Amino acid sequence: QGLNQSLLVKFMQARSPRHFKYDRDHKEPATDAMNIGLAVEAMIEDPQSFRRWFTVQPLHYPAQAHQVKKGVVLGQPMDWSNNATFCKDWNKQMQEAGMTTLSQGDYAAVRGACRSIDEDHEVRAIIEYSRRQVMVVAENPLGFRMKCLLDMVPDTGTETVYDLKVLFSAEENDFNKAAWDRGYDVQGKYYMDA
């Protein structure tokens, strides 16, 4: 066990020690934004890895017997709806198979982020010439064991590390708000201390 950045942010945001203990002991399910970030990392790292861990909801599902009514034919393609029984069952099967399911919109965001990375030669070079997912364990002066997982550490011998972030807007105000809301400032300082 050790202190990590996520735990530190939970501690700072907790309203009381009891709230912190509850947050620490009850892991929240991954958000769509977290899944998009993980999918981008998987796609960049290894497209086979993406296909192994992620699936994309189809655009359509076949109309079921209970949906047959005026104008709807059994098996007719229906727009995907997470409220439809067929779609719920499909999502559940994917989850039981250990797959993370992305909506069509989330998959478009993943493809867009990957396209942006591919088009930026400087970022592409950093990714290509970096060790990825580097675990760092250190002890701070107070004796706390600190651990972090660095996204990218360049092989160039520099002390710079990179952490890939997927945001829906790169506008300065939007980035600053996301950085504050998500605790990136705490994460950066934590990584520097570790």
Side-chain angles (χ1 to χ4, degrees):
Q1 277 284 36
L3 182 64
N4 61 40
Q5 175 266 338
S6 298
L7 199 59
L8 185 59
V9 169
K10 282 183 182 181
F11 178 77
M12 292 172 58
Q13 293 174 343
R15 294 186 305 234
S16 71
R18 279 192 171 172
H19 285 95
F20 170 68
K21 182 175 180 345
Y22 180 87
D23 288 344
R24 184 194 65 198
D25 295 343
H26 296 85
K27 187 176 178 179
E28 295 178 21
T31 63
D32 289 345
M34 292 167 68
N35 286 336
I36 290 170
L38 292 170
V40 168
E41 287 183 20
M43 186 78 83
I44 290 168
E45 182 73 30
D46 175 20
Q48 294 295 332
S49 172
F50 175 84
R51 287 189 279 285
R52 190 168 37 253
W53 298 109
F54 293 89
T55 188
V56 180
Q57 292 174 334
L59 288 170
H60 302 100
Y61 72 97
Q64 304 299 292
H66 70 277
Q67 295 173 308
V68 174
K69 52 188 167 197
K70 188 175 182 180
V72 176
V73 178
L74 185 65
Q76 174 183 333
M78 305 288 288
D79 289 340
W80 190 268
S81 169
N82 287 321
N83 294 324
T85 302
F86 180 93
C87 302
K88 287 179 184 177
D89 291 344
W90 185 90
N91 287 332
K92 184 177 178 186
Q93 288 173 349
M94 295 301 109
Q95 183 180 15
E96 288 171 354
M99 305 288 285
T100 298
T101 302
L102 300 173
S103 69
Q104 288 286 329
D106 289 349
Y107 183 54
V110 169
R111 288 192 334 257
C114 291
R115 194 170 34 258
S116 294
I117 290 168
D118 283 341
E119 291 170 358
D120 189 318
H121 300 293
E122 185 178 343
V123 171
R124 189 79 231 162
I126 290 168
I127 291 170
E128 288 178 14
Y129 298 104
S130 293
R131 289 175 288 137
R132 289 183 285 289
Q133 302 299 303
V134 177
M135 176 63 78
V136 175
V137 179
E139 189 171 303
N140 77 359
L142 298 174
F144 288 105
R145 183 171 174 230
M146 302 171 67
K147 59 183 183 175
C148 56
L149 186 63
L150 304 175
D151 281 352
M152 293 175 277
V153 178
D155 291 330
T156 59
T158 179
E159 292 185 14
T160 303
V161 297
Y162 297 94
D163 194 49
L164 187 62
K165 300 295 183 198
V166 178
L167 302 172
F168 293 104
S169 171
E171 295 295 325
E172 184 176 358
N173 287 341
D174 294 337
F175 178 82
N176 289 340
K177 181 177 182 340
W180 178 262
D181 291 346
R182 298 177 186 177
Y184 295 162
D185 55 332
V186 174
Q187 182 180 20
K189 175 66 172 134
Y190 183 86
Y191 283 5
M192 290 180 355
D193 289 350

